[in-house]
Amino acid sequence: MEGLTLSEAEQKLYSELFGTCDVDHTGRVSGTRASELFLASQLPHDTLQQITELCGATRLGHFGRSQFYIALKLIAAVQNGLPVRLDSLNTGGDMPLPRFVHIKGTEQDKKRMQFANAGVSHHMSMEADHYTSPDKPHHPILERQTTHPGVLPPPPSSRGHVRSGSSGNPPHILHSRQHVVSEAASNNLPLQATATSPQDSYSSSPYNTSPPTTSPPSQRRSTDRHHSGPAATAAATAKRSLFDNRMEVQWTGQYGAAAQAAGVNTADGWVEFSSSPASQPRSLGPGPGGAPTDSEDESDPWTITQEQRDYYTAQFKTMQPDLHGLIQGTTAREFFQRSKLPIAQLSRIWDMSDVNQDGALSLEEFFAAFHLVVARRNGYDLPETLPQALMPKSTQPATEEDPFAGAPPMAGGGTPPVPATAPQTQAAPQPAPQAPPQPAPQAPPQPTPQAAPQAPPQPTQQPTQQPTGAQGGSKSADENWATFDENSSSPSPVVQSPANFDFAAVHPDPASKIIQPVPVRMSPEGQTYSDYRPRTFSEPIPTDVVNLRRERSGTSPSKHPKSGDTAEFTPGKIAPPPPSSRSKSAKSSEEEMENGVPPHKKLTQTVSDTIRMRPRLAEKLSRPRSYSGTSVGVHHPPPLAISPLAQSDSPTESQSGGKKEAPLLPPPPPRPPPRRQQTHSRSVSLDLNRVFLHRDSKGKHPAPQPLAPPPAVPPRHVSPATKGPKVVQQNSEQAMPISPTPKTTPNNVVNFITAEAAVPAEGLKHSRTMSLDSKAGSAFRTKWTFRRSVSFQPEVPLATDTPPTPPPRPHDQTRDKAEDTPVEPPTKPVKKKAPTPPPVRPRNRHRSGEDSQKSELRQEEPSTNDRRRHVSAPATRVPPIPPPPVRRKREDIQAAIRAHKERNTVLSRTNSELQGDLAEATEERVTLELQLQKLKPFGVTGL
Amino acid sequence: MTGQRLSKMAVCVAVISKENYPLYIQTIPTEDDLKFHYTVHTSLDVVEEKINNVGKTTNDLRELYLGLLYPTEDYKVYGYVTNTKIKFVVVVESSNTALRDNEIRTMFRKLHNAYTDMVCNPFYTPGDRITSRVFEKVVNGMMLQDS
């Protein structure tokens, strides 16, 4: 008809169909031939007749091209629930293609037919000519199909009508090949080897269909019955693709006996469908693919039945004995490649199934992957996204599942292979999880045991079928299985508790031979993937954090649960870098003193070396940068905190620690609790920037800036100037733990002075002079402090507070020796704002230098900060912002500066958060980042 | 290029292999997408230069982000190099003022993450052309994302 408008896809499909039906190339299709095709649409007879009339074929006596097209279009319309009228033709834009059920065609053909409706123009191979027409119209079905194009159930088993999907059992992957039997076996799937003998083909055919255990006895039906007994042996001998073999074997093993006993039809819901199409018009409707209700039900082809689960679990165990473990990418790749699916599809499957994208498969993920592979193998189109049914339910690998639970019911007469294997494997798995390399707790036994055990336990037929069992079998099956055995022998050691150190885990695997493609994530975000779980599932403490802790923890292993590993790890790696840096730093320190310019470059070089040594660490260090938008280069706050490397960054640190640190390093000093810093983490970068600005303005110490990161939160409140010193303090502190001896003190002092000089404009002159003096000794310090205070006084004459400051300082120095006392002095300075910052610094310096008591100092420092605030608070003045209105312009300015800083920090934080959102990082990532940043600042500030 | 300008983050995203052959190039739909190929190709020289410079100055050893490679009249080209010397090149329109350095960095970070995820797929052989849908999705998101 002229009015008929066809889409491209329709035209293509129709012309193909027409060509197929127009055997004689006369341009006409006989009514019989057309009716054959139309019947395959499964519309009722009378409807088809109506259509035939409408299209004009009845008058003509044959189908011309136009009539044929109209008929097809009408069929499509009717299938979509439209009335049988010509009006239906032009209802609208997108009419799905008509669906025809291929009854006798090869499976592939059937599939194509089924999926044609998906809108994709499949080339329909009509050669088959078999359109069995189950006369049954199933509108609901059709609709369902439209909704779930991909999901469509396996092709009609017996005559096309029968769909594997049974009410009770999801036919998910099952292909109804039963009827096709030998034909199907030979023709359909690219089996590795064609059936050598009729028996083989026979036996194979029924089982081929369902690797997944979902389709129990129903499939077996008649064919199964016959072969169930011999099937096992036959299967072993027959060459088939892995999947086919496995499935067959298992099926035979499990169900063979049961099927025989029960009688084919009786077995399940399957029976219904198995029966001839005529008897069951509605069979299609219930089919798994179509009906909405079905999809909701278990019938969803993507749901994994218990049997499948068992089987998958067994397979998983062959590669990874520990159910909580992970199958490495390479292992999985090897395994799945045996499915003979094209790499591209496997890749897609992997993308979908590796939910947390760690390059390895957990049990749940493996289920999904295997299920998808099996489904694909059986002709299902891959879904666009991972079906809900296959989504890993929990962060942790599905331990919940009882491999065995499902087995008993299904087993029926036959002894289910799964159970037998499962127990064995289970026993093995737990102990075996780990790679030998890891020194830690999990180093136990291994894979080999597993393989062995599996084979023996299996009772009758199954052993042969099972991977291990297959060994006995003939070539084809054996090969596959043999490969599996190999896998089993080399289980991936990957299994680690989430908290474990990634690196350790990765490297250790020598035995496994498996090289993880991407165990560790080098990406900018810097989160290591080694921990599989963490990524997808947000764990409270990311691996990075753990690492950091370890590194820091050096001295205080007790904090970390896995102290053993961490302690070993950290010292070993950390220790080496510091010496070099120190030596250089020590040399450079002198230069610094003179020039006031830190030996930064040298240090950086050393740092870089160290970084090279352990790239991952470096990455971690680098990560922070990426996050800090404001000052890229400058932000290394975390690194400092992290380890000696960080220290090396800051000349002062290196100097202070320099001489004595090296020897001490091996036992890393206990560092203060990392967490405190968290609150300030983000702000740190900002603070640094400010510090830099100050310095820059004075132009004296640009280089040292990178060190700045430590500026702890407390200083902000006090004043801009204080920040600088605090940073220094932190650095010194870090160094301090290493160098308990007093000798270091002078150096530290000097350094601090230099650093300070840059910060306070007023104090610059004094500080320099002082620095020289300070070299002489600690005595100078006191003087220095006095001078400073004095200097301040003139500068800020108006400030009432200033006068009191000088006196306290001397006390402070004396007190400094006593760790606690120093705290008080800072409080006083706080009141005076301007003067306070400088005094605080000296104290800290003193402490750092003096302290033999590393731990105490660290703890104290934070406490001191708090105290300062508090002290200021108790006095009527406001703790955070002491500046009263009375004070001079300067004070006002300072106050304003502080306020702005605070604002900036707040804004910066919010900004960073927003950035994180923008980055669309997963929630985990965000949390991890936050934690990391927090931790980093902590380490710095805490020190 | 089109009326959708404002909604576009990037007009071209390219992943270049270590050996400087393209692993992936995605451009906004336009008639002259060859121009982008050319632009990206040209940018490789700059990338190379920057990489070499970075090697000399140890300071920025770990800075993967190369910054603005070069601006043209209509476009700005940004570069990024992974530790494995995979280059990411993003071309944005000069007129798109919403894209500041930070956004570009974010894009690269995202791109890098996507790439890393993609490489995690054991069925991907490093050096092959990138066909991953997931990766493509991310890239498309970057190109269409409104900012």
Side-chain angles (χ1 to χ4, degrees), chain A residues 407-431:
Chain A
M410 299 311 298
T415 59
V418 176
T421 56
Q424 303 167 353
T425 54
Q426 278 192 348
Q430 295 173 348

Side-chain angles (χ1 to χ4, degrees), chain A residues 698-843:
Chain A
K698 296 159 186 183
K700 294 192 177 180
H701 300 277
Q705 293 177 353
L707 300 179
V713 179
R716 303 172 188 169
H717 299 288
V718 177
S719 75
T722 53
K723 294 179 181 179
K726 286 185 179 180
V727 175
V728 176
Q729 291 176 356
Q730 292 176 349
N731 296 342
S732 64
E733 291 177 358
Q734 290 180 350
M736 288 309 298
I738 301 172
S739 63
T741 61
K743 296 178 181 179
T744 56
T745 57
N747 294 341
N748 292 342
V749 174
V750 174
N751 296 340
F752 289 106
I753 295 169
T754 56
E756 290 179 358
V759 179
E762 331 114 307
L764 291 178
K765 298 175 182 178
H766 299 283
S767 64
R768 288 184 181 178
T769 56
M770 292 309 297
S771 65
L772 297 176
D773 297 342
S774 63
K775 293 177 182 177
S778 62
F780 291 90
R781 300 173 190 169
T782 59
K783 295 179 181 178
W784 181 79
T785 56
F786 284 106
R787 292 181 184 178
R788 265 209 162 179
S789 61
V790 173
S791 65
F792 281 101
Q793 291 176 353
E795 291 177 355
V796 188
L798 297 180
T800 55
D801 297 344
T802 53
T805 53
R809 291 180 182 174
H811 296 288
D812 295 346
Q813 292 176 348
T814 57
R815 290 176 185 177
D816 288 356
K817 296 173 183 177
E819 299 172 354
D820 295 353
T821 54
V823 176
E824 296 178 357
T827 60
K828 296 176 181 178
V830 173
K831 298 175 182 178
K832 302 166 185 179
K833 295 181 181 180
T836 52
V840 173
R841 301 170 187 171
R843 293 174 188 174

Side-chain angles (χ1 to χ4, degrees), chain A residues 377-542:
Chain A
R377 199 80 179 77
N378 287 286
Y380 285 90
D381 277 353
L382 291 176
E384 277 302 311
T385 59
L386 190 62
Q388 194 58 36
L390 294 178
M391 289 290 283
K393 294 158 192 168
S394 61
T395 46
Q396 300 180 351
T399 54
E400 327 94 16
E401 310 160 347
D402 297 359
F404 314 98
M410 299 311 298
T415 59
V418 176
T421 56
Q424 303 167 353
T425 54
Q426 278 192 348
Q430 295 173 348
Q434 281 353 335
Q438 289 189 350
Q442 320 158 332
Q446 290 348 336
T448 53
Q450 294 177 347
Q454 288 182 351
Q458 299 173 350
T460 58
Q461 307 164 346
Q462 297 175 351
T464 57
Q465 301 169 353
Q466 294 253 347
T468 54
Q471 299 169 350
S474 62
K475 347 151 187 181
S476 65
D478 300 349
E479 293 177 355
N480 294 339
W481 295 113
T483 54
F484 282 101
D485 294 351
E486 294 175 357
N487 293 342
S488 64
S489 64
S490 64
S492 61
V494 182
V495 183
Q496 294 178 348
S497 65
N500 277 350
F501 209 67
D502 305 348
F503 310 147
V506 175
H507 297 296
D509 298 84
S512 62
K513 298 177 184 178
I514 301 170
I515 301 172
Q516 264 197 342
V518 191
V520 176
R521 188 169 197 161
M522 302 303 282
S523 65
E525 306 234 325
Q527 299 188 358
T528 56
Y529 272 122
S530 58
D531 223 356
Y532 307 91
R533 300 297 148 202
R535 216 199 170 191
T536 3
F537 317 96
S538 63
E539 291 182 0
I541 300 175

Side-chain angles (χ1 to χ4, degrees), chain A residues 638-685:
Chain A
L640 296 179
I642 294 174
S643 72
L645 293 179
Q647 293 179 355
S648 65
D649 291 353
S650 65
T652 58
E653 293 176 356
S654 63
Q655 291 178 354
S656 64
K659 298 173 182 178
K660 298 180 180 179
E661 285 181 356
L664 296 177
L665 286 180
R671 302 207 170 172
R675 294 187 179 176
R676 270 200 172 184
Q677 304 168 349
Q678 292 179 349
T679 55
H680 305 292
S681 61
R682 289 190 175 176
S683 61
V684 172
S685 63

Side-chain angles (χ1 to χ4, degrees), chain A residues 333 357 521 535 619 915, chain B residues 83 102 112-113 117 122 133:
Chain A
R333 176 189 168 97
Q357 303 204 311
R521 188 169 197 161
R535 216 199 170 191
E619 280 200 356
Q915 286 182 355
Chain B
N83 295 310
N102 249 351
H112 195 167
N113 284 332
D117 288 344
R133 294 193 180 193

